[in-house]
RNA sequence: GGGCGAGUAGCUCAGCUGGUCUAGAGCGCCUGCCUUACAAGCAGGAGGUCGCUGGUUCGAAUCCAGUUUCGCCCACCA
């Protein structure tokens, strides 16, 4: 509660400050330029990290071509740029040679306005077509400038004319070429992408797209626009305001990434760091290998100020990087000016695994919770966040922050688009929580997205999307509510009995298997399978069969010893199962567990132990007997439904050739079975009665006869038996063909062959019985 | 341009190391039930040539190759 209180105070405080700030500057949009500083919370750690990296020479300031959003007027990192395929134009421009020969070279560009900043044209050094040009000059149209022809390996002779215009201040590759050849860098644009004083006077002040039209028109007038062709290419856009970005030469702060990436890559390669699903490891590795320096300065009004100061006295010296705000210049005592820029938000996020625990102080929390085990996150921020947390963890804590990274799927709408606020196709989680409950939402999300796969939900039909979770919550709520009265006085143990009843043996065996399965699924991050296993255990096995069969014992109808045994089993299974489900539906399981007898639940589920499997509970005999019991009940129910027997009406059944497991099952659970199938009695006979009735043959060979005088239509019964016979026949044919194939019996593993033989054996028996029945029916009137 | 994922019932998804798969679940659909935990439930049922083509194998939804559709990530080709 104290923590939540603190969070709300923080939100209030900063919310108020943000609103005040926005009002002050009359801002209705988030790209207006102003700033305020986060001077609390984690900024101490952020500043510490900046200073340490700077001292290790891992932070530097440099002029470089960065991605620039002219609308936000800030630098963007590569990850903040989204590329969209657009159909645009490729323009071919002619630049006349300056030797008066009348010859020209042709260059291609998608951004003609940048030609105003060209400072060379380049050809490949081994391109024989153009080797005579190298060293000559060309006249740069519209500018009155003359620029050289240079040779550089970067140029691809296969592409276009093999001649490239070089604009060092407006293109990253050209920038590199310019540095290699010591070319001037002419910046022709302002921060808002209007043409600057670097451009000829005629274009100054024009917006970049306006300038593009003007340049093209002017070139056309001079006969220097060779041609225009349509061109598909991908164009970078700002991830926030979707404006086309402009590569821009500017002075920014960078983090050197190679030295940080190497140990982070090593951690993955030697297996200390694992990704689920594993394929994300390749993506991580690829990024780490090709990592580029990280531009961390942003020209925004929101964020941590860069802890760098400059002396107002120009020429005084290096920037001052400091943990404390310096009052004056340590060299000359002059006034200082702090760097205007703030840090990229990820520069604080990458410290999250330790900065939130009090770092750089050596706190108890830090000792207890660093490193942790699993990070669960969206695959979209693998580079932004995950990779960088690994790097900072190794750099500042000496160890990776977590060993396992679980990348969950993305929720999409019914047409497959990612849900987002701007598309308006999202689902408000709080509305879902209101209508269906937090657990219902959580269950649905976990249960329908397999490891590494996305999930589609229809945002226009929330009912359909989330009712599964709500219904499941209701089901277990009702089941526990039903069970609670029978658990009064239960001491939390499983009673020792000489002759435990079959249903108890079976549900315990089944529960034991559920513990093993679900534990295994969680350990392998197969959350969907864990949810599915928990769901079917409680709904199908526990509610539909175990509870129904145990009601009479729980009421005490079978005596005190049987009641206590049933109650103990009921409690043991429920208590353990609530723990298994707890990670998936934390609230409802915690609530329900709190109603179990105090002797059992001493602590909350979230703090309590995970259920342990016990080999003693595994019971193959009970499993098989129960399976056959279930098949028997189902077959009776099916026949009753086929012949539309009044649900309230009990009927007798006659069994012939009862299999061993079913015999065992009926001896122990006959009373319960009669209730489930609405049977008045279960008779055993050596042969099937001659009178008309509904018949079935179970997998174990048991023949079931339901005397339904007056209800059974012989032709319908013939059809039923016929259909059943056809199914068994085709299955039998397949099995037989397999076993007659020498290559199969020789090549397949012995246990597979044995299994097929057993299958064949029981199928042969069933088929014979069905043939006999079919014959009998066709002889009947 | 490079890399990756997905395509299985009307819908949303499972099916992991090829053989209990005669391919499952939930929702939806059809039939019958208000059976004292639960009608947001119970019981029964219908519904699929596993995107397409070829290959490997005794055996393929599963492995391989090709192909097609959708989606994602990465990338400086003017």
């Amino acid at each position: 509660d104290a923590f939540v209180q603190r969070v709300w105070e923080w939100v209030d405080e900063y919310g108020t400050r943000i609103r005040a700030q926005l009002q002050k500057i009359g801002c209705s949009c988030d790209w207006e330029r102003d700033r305020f500083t986060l001077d609390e919370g984690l900024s101490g750690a952020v500043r510490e990290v900046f200073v340490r990296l700077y001292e290790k020479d891992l932070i530097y300031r440099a002029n470089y071509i960065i991605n620039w959003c002219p609308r936000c007027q800030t630098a963007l990192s590569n990850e903040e740029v989204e590329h969209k395929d657009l159909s645009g134009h490729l323009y071919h421009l002619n630049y006349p040679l300056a030797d008066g020969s009348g010859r020209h070279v042709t260059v291609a560009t998608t951004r003609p306005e940048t030609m105003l900043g060209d400072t060379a044209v380049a050809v490949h050094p081994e391109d024989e077509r153009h080797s005579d040009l190298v060293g000559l000059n060309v006249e740069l149209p519209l500018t009155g400038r003359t620029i050289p022809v240079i040779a550089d390996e970067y140029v691809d002779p296969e592409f276009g004319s093999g001649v490239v215009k070089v604009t060092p201040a407006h293109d990253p590759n050209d920038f590199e070429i310019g540095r290699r050849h010591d070319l001037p860098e002419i910046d022709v644009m302002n921060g808002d992408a209007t043409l600057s004083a670097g451009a000829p006077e005629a274009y100054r002040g024009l917006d970049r797209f306006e300038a593009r039209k003007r340049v093209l028109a002017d070139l056309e007038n001079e006969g220097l626009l060779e041609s225009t062709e349509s061109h598909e290419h991908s164009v970078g856009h700002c991830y926030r305001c979707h404006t086309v970005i402009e590569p821009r030469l500017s002075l920014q702060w960078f983090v050197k990434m190679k030295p940080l990436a190497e140990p982070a890559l090593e951690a993955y390669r030697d297996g200390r760091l694992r990704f689920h699903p594993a394929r994300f490891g390749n993506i991580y590795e690829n990024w780490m290998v090709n990592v580029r320096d990280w531009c961390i300065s942003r020209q925004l009004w929101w964020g941590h100020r860069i802890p760098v100061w400059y002396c107002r006295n120009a020429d005084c010296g290096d920037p001052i990087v400091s943990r404390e705000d310096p009052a004056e210049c340590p060299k000359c005592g002059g006034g200082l000016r702090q760097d205007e820029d703030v840090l990229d938000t990820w520069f604080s996020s990458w410290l999250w695994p330790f900065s939130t625990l009090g770092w750089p102080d050596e706190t108890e929390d830090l000792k207890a919770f660093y490193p942790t085990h699993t990070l669960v996150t969206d695959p979209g921020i693998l580079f932004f966040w995950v990779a960088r947390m690994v790097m900072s963890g190794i750099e500042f804590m000496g160890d990776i922050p977590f060993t396992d990274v679980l990348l969950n799927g993305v929720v999409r709408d019914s047409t497959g688009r990612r849900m987002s606020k701007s598309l308006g196709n999202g689902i408000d989680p709080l509305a879902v929580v209101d209508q269906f409950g937090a657990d219902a939402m959580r269950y649905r999300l976990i249960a329908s997205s397999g490891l590494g796969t996305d999930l589609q939900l229809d945002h226009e039909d929330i009912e359909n999307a989330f009712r599964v979770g709500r219904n499941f919550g209701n089901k277990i709520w009702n089941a526990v509510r039903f069970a609670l009265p029978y658990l009064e006085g239960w001491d939390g143990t499983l009673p020792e009995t000489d002759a435990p009843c079959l249903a108890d043996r079976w549900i315990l065996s089944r529960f034991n298997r559920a513990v093993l399965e679900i534990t295994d699924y969680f350990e392998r991050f197969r959350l969907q399978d864990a949810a599915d296993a928990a769901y079917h255990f409680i709904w199908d096995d526990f509610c539909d069969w175990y509870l129904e069969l145990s009601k009479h014992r729980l009421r005490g109808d079978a005596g005190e010893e049987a009641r206590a045994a049933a109650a103990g089993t009921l409690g043991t299974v429920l208590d353990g199962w609530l723990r298994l489900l707890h990670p998936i539906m934390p609230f409802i399981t915690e609530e329900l567990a709190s109603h179990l007898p105090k002797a059992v639940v001493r602590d909350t589920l979230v703090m309590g132990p995970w259920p342990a499997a016990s080999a003693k509970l595994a019971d193959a005999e009970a499993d098989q007997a129960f399976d056959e019991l279930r098949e028997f009940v189902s077959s009776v129910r099916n026949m009753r439904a086929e012949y539309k027997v009044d649900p309230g009406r009990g009927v007798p059944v006659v069994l012939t050739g009862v299999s061993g497991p079913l015999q065992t099952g009926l001896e122990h659970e006959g009373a319960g079975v009669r209730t489930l199938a609405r049977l008045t009695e279960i008779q055993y006979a050596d042969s099937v009665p001659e009178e008309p009735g509904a018949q079935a043959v179970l997998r174990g060979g048991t023949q079931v006869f339901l005397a339904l005088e007056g209800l059974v239509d012989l032709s319908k019964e013939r059809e039923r038996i016929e259909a059943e016979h056809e199914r068994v026949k085709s299955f039998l044919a397949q099995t037989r063909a397999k076993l007659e194939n020498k290559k199969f019996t020789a090549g397949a593993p012995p246990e597979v062959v044995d299994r097929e033989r057993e299958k064949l054996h029981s199928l042969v028996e069933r088929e014979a019985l069905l043939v006999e029945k079919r014959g009998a029916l066709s002889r009947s009137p």
Side-chain angles (χ1 to χ4, degrees):
Chain A
D1 286 352
F3 174 67
V4 170
Q5 181 67 27
R6 179 83 191 85
V7 170
W8 281 115
E9 282 169 17
W10 192 89
V11 168
D12 278 349
E13 183 192 344
Y14 279 95
T16 306
R17 287 175 63 176
I18 292 164
R19 277 191 296 275
Q21 187 76 18
L22 288 171
Q23 276 167 7
K24 196 181 91 191
I25 63 173
C27 178
S28 57
C29 48
D30 65 0
W31 56 82
E32 287 289 336
R33 178 94 189 248
D34 205 299
R35 71 176 82 250
F36 75 94
T37 311
L38 294 173
D39 53 6
E40 273 191 65
L42 309 175
S43 50
V46 169
R47 185 181 281 201
E48 177 68 25
V49 161
F50 188 97
V51 174
R52 285 198 196 184
L53 289 175
Y54 186 81
E55 284 169 351
K56 283 186 77 173
D57 209 20
L58 290 174
I59 280 190
Y60 65 95
R61 191 179 188 224
N63 259 309
Y64 203 77
I65 298 277
I66 44 84
N67 303 303
W68 178 266
C69 174
R71 193 167 186 190
C72 303
Q73 298 217 25
T74 183
L76 300 171
S77 67
N78 287 316
E79 290 79 8
E80 288 169 321
V81 175
E82 50 187 37
H83 290 268
K84 292 182 195 164
D85 287 334
L86 294 181
S87 39
H89 298 283
L90 186 62
Y91 303 96
H92 299 275
L93 317 179
N94 289 335
Y95 292 179
L97 286 179
D99 59 2
S101 65
R103 293 159 69 203
H104 62 257
V105 295
T106 304
V107 297
T109 180
T110 55
R111 296 181 295 146
E113 68 280 9
T114 62
M115 61 81 63
L116 300 172
D118 285 2
T119 55
V121 296
V123 299
H124 194 273
E126 276 140 42
D127 188 344
E128 289 171 8
R129 295 171 300 169
H130 304 305
S131 51
D132 59 321
L133 296 174
V134 178
L136 299 178
N137 290 318
V138 300
E139 285 171 21
L140 185 64
L142 314 181
T143 63
R145 285 194 285 118
T146 300
I147 57 176
V149 181
I150 59 170
D152 194 280
E153 300 272 348
Y154 165 74
V155 181
D156 178 1
E158 304 294 314
F159 190 91
S161 65
V163 186
V164 178
K165 65 194 270 302
V166 182
T167 323
H170 292 279
D171 182 279
N173 299 306
D174 294 7
F175 177 80
E176 299 288 349
I177 297 175
R179 286 283 160 104
R180 283 198 286 274
H181 297 270
D182 212 14
L183 299 174
E185 290 155 4
I186 301 179
D187 188 348
V188 298
M189 276 186 215
N190 297 310
D192 62 358
T194 57
L195 287 249
S196 71
E201 198 158 352
Y203 304 96
R204 288 179 199 163
L206 292 178
D207 174 74
R208 54 183 165 162
F209 298 117
E210 198 54 42
R212 178 174 303 176
K213 285 185 205 155
R214 189 75 69 83
V215 164
L216 286 168
D218 292 346
L219 286 170
E220 178 117 57
N221 278 340
E222 297 192 19
L224 295 173
L225 181 58
E226 169 81 22
S227 61
T228 300
E229 61 178 294
S230 55
H231 183 62
E232 293 275 332
H233 61 150
S234 94
V235 178
H237 292 68
C238 172
Y239 83 114
R240 290 196 308 167
C241 70
H242 311 295
T243 303
V244 174
I245 58 141
E246 198 65 35
R248 182 167 198 238
L249 181 64
S250 65
L251 195 55
Q252 304 287 344
W253 288 96
F254 294 87
V255 178
K256 275 185 202 162
M257 296 300 266
K258 268 268 178 275
L260 297 172
E262 270 160 21
L265 182 56
E266 200 49 40
Y268 166 70
R269 285 183 170 160
D270 67 20
R272 277 176 292 147
L273 179 66
R274 292 176 293 269
F275 291 90
H276 311 276
R279 68 187 139 85
F280 284 106
N282 296 331
I283 298 174
Y284 171 92
E285 181 167 17
N286 193 42
W287 188 79
M288 281 293 179
V289 169
N290 299 304
V291 74
R292 282 181 291 170
D293 285 355
W294 176 15
C295 174
I296 52 169
S297 42
R298 294 287 181 281
Q299 292 70 42
L300 301 169
W301 53 270
W302 164 274
H304 299 280
R305 290 282 292 270
I306 292 181
V308 175
W309 287 261
Y310 308 98
C311 183
R312 289 194 183 277
N313 196 356
D315 313 326
C316 179
D318 296 334
I320 300 143
V321 176
S322 173
R323 290 180 172 83
E324 307 298 330
D325 290 7
E328 55 185 28
C329 175
K331 254 189 193 168
C332 69
L336 293 173
R337 165 180 70 82
Q338 187 173 0
D339 196 300
E340 293 294 306
D341 292 353
V342 298
L343 291 160
D344 179 12
T345 50
W346 299 101
F347 194 86
S348 53
S349 309
W350 77 323
L351 313 177
W352 184 83
F354 50 89
S355 66
T356 51
L357 300 174
W359 186 90
D361 298 335
E362 284 181 26
T363 63
E364 289 300 310
D365 282 352
L366 196 56
K367 268 182 244 163
F369 297 114
Y370 192 100
T372 183
H373 176 224
T374 303
L375 174 79
V376 185
T377 194
D378 178 300
I381 53 178
L382 187 61
F383 310 132
F384 278 123
W385 197 37
V386 181
R388 288 181 186 148
M389 280 194 285
V390 177
M391 293 190 282
S392 71
I394 295 172
E395 174 67 20
F396 300 106
M397 294 295 297
D399 194 5
I400 52 174
F402 32 73
T403 53
D404 293 83
V405 180
L406 175 60
L407 285 317
N408 51 244
V410 173
V411 182
R412 303 180 176 282
D413 70 8
S414 42
T415 62
R417 295 175 306 176
R418 194 186 180 102
M419 284 191 176
S420 75
K421 263 190 269 181
S422 51
L423 283 173
N425 63 345
I427 291 176
D428 177 2
L430 293 178
V432 175
V433 170
D434 270 355
Q435 286 179 57
F436 302 92
D439 279 345
M441 180 171 75
R442 190 178 163 98
Y443 173 81
R444 165 60 157 131
L445 294 179
I446 292 174
S448 25
S449 79
L451 180 58
T453 64
D454 292 348
L455 159 71
Q456 293 203 7
L457 292 178
D458 185 352
H459 65 283
E460 287 179 342
D461 193 353
I462 306 188
E463 166 75 19
N464 188 44
F466 292 98
R467 87 174 110 217
V468 194
R470 176 199 57 195
N471 293 358
F472 185 41
N474 274 343
K475 184 71 183 181
I476 64 186
W477 185 270
N478 284 319
V480 175
R481 197 183 57 175
F482 168 76
L484 282 175
Y486 301 112
L487 294 176
E488 269 175 43
W490 175 50
D491 64 1
T493 65
L494 196 56
E496 298 277 335
T497 325
D498 294 338
C501 89
L502 184 69
D504 286 355
R505 284 167 57 191
W506 169 73
I507 197 68
L508 287 167
S509 175
R510 188 63 199 80
F511 171 67
N512 188 57
R513 224 174 322 139
V515 171
L516 290 169
E517 272 175 21
I518 293 172
T519 306
D520 177 58
Y521 286 142
F522 274 124
E523 282 172 351
R524 292 158 63 208
F525 295 98
R526 298 186 67 94
L527 307 189
Q528 180 185 47
D529 293 320
D532 195 57
Y535 181 99
H536 289 291
F537 172 78
I538 206 70
W539 202 312
D540 300 348
D541 293 334
F542 183 79
C543 288
D544 291 349
W545 293 94
Y546 179 72
L547 278 188
E548 293 303 331
L549 272 179
S550 303
K551 280 175 177 172
H552 69 283
R553 271 190 293 268
L554 288 168
R555 282 191 221 104
D557 296 354
E560 172 52 26
E561 195 183 342
R563 190 209 59 78
T569 305
L570 178 71
T572 302
V573 171
L574 264 186
D575 172 65
W577 179 79
L578 286 170
R579 291 169 197 275
L580 292 176
L581 184 67
H582 182 255
I584 294 165
M585 299 182 90
F587 299 107
I588 193 171
T589 48
E590 199 72 82
E591 172 66 20
L592 291 173
S594 76
H595 293 281
L596 293 178
K598 286 279 178 292
V600 186
V601 183
R602 296 181 188 82
D603 207 341
T604 55
L605 294 189
V606 69
M607 301 293 287
W610 187 251
S614 160
K616 277 194 305 197
L617 297 180
D619 191 334
E621 189 192 27
D623 289 343
Q624 202 194 342
F626 217 86
D627 277 352
E628 297 210 6
L629 220 46
R630 263 156 55 134
E631 191 200 1
F632 166 59
V633 171
S634 293
S635 95
V636 173
R637 283 169 169 173
N638 172 287
M639 287 187 276
R640 293 179 60 111
E642 289 265 343
Y643 287 108
K644 303 202 187 312
V645 178
D646 181 346
R649 180 178 156 200
V651 291
V653 69
V654 181
L655 299 180
T656 308
V658 181
S659 74
L662 183 58
Q663 182 70 48
T664 310
L666 290 171
E667 275 166 20
H668 286 85
E669 300 295 342
V673 164
R674 280 201 299 275
T675 312
L676 292 188
R678 286 273 169 162
L679 296 171
T680 50
E681 59 181 321
I682 300 171
Q683 298 170 358
Y684 301 91
D686 293 335
S687 63
V688 180
E690 294 286 324
E691 60 198 281
Q695 300 195 50
V697 181
L698 305 183
R699 272 195 292 264
T702 306
Q703 300 176 70
V704 183
F705 177 90
L706 220 51
L708 299 173
E709 64 288 357
L711 286 172
V712 170
D713 168 352
L714 273 185
S715 64
K716 179 172 181 163
E717 185 61 11
R718 232 175 263 136
E719 269 173 43
R720 282 187 60 245
I721 295 294
E722 192 75 38
E724 178 67 10
H725 184 228
E726 285 307 317
R727 276 185 50 223
V728 170
K729 238 167 50 180
S730 80
F731 197 14
L732 179 61
Q734 269 181 45
T735 311
R736 194 168 267 150
K738 235 182 212 181
L739 285 165
E740 280 167 2
N741 182 343
K742 289 247 161 34
K743 285 179 180 167
F744 171 74
T745 46
E751 59 273 22
V752 173
V753 179
D754 284 349
R755 209 155 52 212
E756 290 300 312
R757 288 217 171 94
E758 273 172 42
K759 207 154 84 180
L760 180 74
H761 184 75
S762 81
L763 283 169
V764 166
E765 193 181 344
R766 278 179 82 190
E767 206 242 348
L769 290 167
L770 285 163
V771 167
E772 194 184 304
K773 288 195 190 307
R774 205 183 52 170
L777 278 166
S778 57
R779 268 181 267 113
S780 300

